[in-house]
Structures are given as structure tokens and as C-alpha cells.
Amino acid sequence: MVKFSPVGEKEVTRALIEGFAKHYARLAECDVIIVGGGPSGLACGRELARKGVRTLVVERNNFLGGGFWIGGYLINKVTVRAPAQEYLQEIGVPHEEVTEGLYVADGPHACSKLIAAACDAGVKFATITKLEDLVLRENNRVAGAVINWTPVEAMPHNITCVDPVALESKVLVDATGHDAAAVGKLEERGLFKRKGFGAMWVEKSEDLVVEHTGEVHPGLVVTGMAVSTVFGLPRMGPTFGAMLLSGVKAAEEVLRILKSQPAQVVAARA
Ligand code: 48H
């Protein structure tokens, strides 16, 4: 017979509260905040964390993975075009070539492996947490995220007034998908104009998304579908290779920015 240890409710509650406090105290200052835990944000986070960069993913949902669980049209198969199958191979996702250069995998397997790969690399997560605004410093350089619990937005304003809190970071990555929500916060202040993503054209879009992935404003890197929205690039529909490889490229861009900043972070860890 299994006999569990004689731990009671108060110990369980304390473990939760103390664990939470320790977690958030550390996250108040990160090297990089990635907003959005879809395929591009997770791939970006994994690359950074495995190089020793303190990386936090802020995700408004209670689950990670964004659109990667479902390949499109409520079908839980995902496709990638070459060369992105190499990334699936690297994180151990079984996949099959259906026609030359086009690969199919199970969405739940691909998505759960990507989440696990990001966790294993050391990415930290703040889930059910929404980007509400940006921290801006001199010359409007992005220097962090203003966040709030996602459900706060749904609470009636006449009975609640919950101010957000802020987390500081050296770089912020917009991986929020179609909304490009972090860039949208600059737009609200007249500092940027998103073009809106273009019509579907898979052969063009994926190369362009990876090519345009990078810093769009001091301290702000954009990755994944948000790149299409920011630059007015064609959408790619239900195929995810560019999301994964854009995440990897975004991480390279972040490392380049961190290295160009005053020494505190990366040099110590390199
Ligand atoms: C916190 C937020 C906020 C916020 C959004 O949509 P995603 O999967 O994004 P990508 O770019 O990694 O992948 C896009 C892909 O899933 C897709 O939709 C494709 C390829 N479409 C092609 C086409 O033609 O339409 O993930 C974004 C994540 C989600 O989990 C959101 O919940 C989260 O970002 N998010 N998190 N604060 N303000 N806004």
C-alpha cells in the first residue's frame, strides 16, 4: 500500500506561496522577456536559456504552445517545410516526409516536446499573465514589461482597480503572433506603425519572416507571425517552419544586442 508523507494543508499552502515569491523576486529583473509562448517564443527562449541568458516567457494563457497544438483548420497535425524538419529532429519530434521538402508531425507531440525543450533549457514562465504595457527609458528604449494577471481585464471595473507590476529586462521579444501586441504598445504612443499581415503565399512568406526577424525598435525584437504583421509580409497558413527558425534567429539577434550593451550580463555567462 502507498503511504504518503504526513504533510498537511498549511505546508502545501506555504510551499506554493514561498515558491511563487522566490520565482517572482528573481524574475523582476531578467536579461530577456519574451512575450508569447507560441512556437516562435518557445524556440527563441530555448536558444537563449541554453546559452545561459536569464529568460522569461510571459504568456496570457494558462497553457503554452500558442497555435502549435493544432496545425490549422482544427486538425492536430502540423507541417513544416525544409529545412525546419532539422529542428523537429533536434528536439526529438517524429515526423514524416509527405512530399519533397514537406514534413508532417503530430501537433500534441511537436508542441509538448518544444515546451519541454524550453523548460529543460532553463526558460522561466509567467503564465496567465498578460503584457499590459512596456517599460520605456531614455529615447524610448524598451526596458521591460508591465504585466497583469489575465483575468483582471475581465473583472468589472466598478468593483476592482488592480494596478499592474513591471519586470525589467535588457531586451524584450514580441512573440505574440498575429497581434504583434508589444509593437502595438509602441503604436499606441505614435512610435511605430504596424503594416498588418498580407494575404497567404506560403512559398514567399516563410523566407521573408526569417529574413525580417530582428530588432525593430531599440530593445525590442520581433519574431514569428508578429514579423508578418509588423512588416506587412504574406501569411504562411498552417505551416510552422518559419516560426521555429524565426525564434532561433531572434535569439541570435538578442545575443548580439546583449553583447553590445554594457557588460553586466552576457560577458559573465559566456
Ligand atoms: C501575453 C500574449 C499576448 C499578451 C498574445 O500565435 P502564436 O502561436 O504565435 P507564433 O508567432 O509563435 O506562431 C504563429 C502560429 O501559431 C500561427 O498562427 C501561424 C503560423 N499562422 C499563419 C497564418 O497564416 O495565420 O503564439 C502567440 C502567443 C499565444 O500563446 C498568445 O496567447 C500569446 O502569444 N499572447 N501573451 N500577453 N498581450 N498576446
Side-chain angles (χ1 to χ4, degrees), residues 221-240:
V221 167
V222 68
T223 184
M225 188 62 201
V227 177
S228 302
T229 299
V230 165
F231 290 101
L233 305 177
R235 65 192 298 185
M236 66 296 296
T239 193
F240 288 81

Side-chain angles (χ1 to χ4, degrees), residues 36 38-40 59-61 66-67 131 175 177-178 225 235-237 243:
S40 63
E59 168 56 54
R60 69 182 169 190
N61 286 325
L131 178 82
H178 299 76
M225 188 62 201
R235 65 192 298 185
M236 66 296 296
M243 302 301 106

Side-chain angles (χ1 to χ4, degrees), residues 67-206:
F68 203 36
W69 292 104
I70 293 177
Y73 205 59
L74 295 184
I75 295 170
N76 71 356
K77 294 281 181 188
V78 293
T79 63
V80 303
R81 296 160 69 227
Q85 84 283 0
E86 290 166 11
Y87 193 91
L88 296 183
Q89 183 75 30
E90 188 183 319
I91 61 169
V93 177
H95 54 283
E96 175 189 343
E97 189 170 30
V98 284
T99 185
E100 199 184 335
L102 180 66
Y103 298 80
V104 70
D106 283 338
H109 203 158
C111 197
S112 55
K113 274 277 168 84
L114 180 58
I115 295 167
C119 293
D120 289 347
V123 177
K124 303 293 178 219
F125 297 94
T127 49
I128 334 176
T129 301
K130 198 169 171 191
L131 178 82
E132 193 174 292
D133 206 346
L134 300 169
V135 175
L136 297 180
R137 295 283 192 253
E138 65 289 342
N139 303 319
N140 293 314
R141 180 178 61 84
V142 176
V146 178
I147 56 164
N148 216 330
W149 295 113
T150 304
V152 164
E153 200 177 56
M155 291 161 82
H157 289 283
N158 56 342
I159 58 161
T160 98
C161 173
V162 183
D163 271 336
V165 293
L167 309 173
E168 293 185 27
S169 68
K170 293 166 179 77
V171 182
L172 189 130
V173 179
D174 187 339
T176 61
H178 299 76
D179 295 346
V183 179
K185 296 296 164 195
L186 293 178
E187 194 168 321
E188 284 169 21
R189 296 193 165 76
L191 297 170
F192 204 96
K193 180 82 188 99
R194 291 165 296 180
K195 292 200 170 139
F197 58 84
M200 200 180 289
W201 191 356
V202 67
E203 292 96 324
K204 285 265 176 225
S205 62
E206 291 208 285

Side-chain angles (χ1 to χ4, degrees), residues 44 47-48 51 247-257:
C44 177
E47 290 306 308
L48 290 170
K51 294 192 166 70
V248 172
K249 166 126 187 254
E252 288 163 8
E253 290 295 301
V254 168
L255 288 171
R256 185 186 55 73
I257 298 165

Side-chain angles (χ1 to χ4, degrees), residues 27 30-34 41 44-50 52-57 122-125 254:
L27 298 180
C30 306
D31 296 332
V32 182
I33 295 173
I34 299 170
C44 177
R46 172 177 180 251
E47 290 306 308
L48 290 170
R50 67 210 286 239
V53 177
R54 289 177 306 165
T55 307
L56 169 69
V57 169
V123 177
K124 303 293 178 219
F125 297 94
V254 168

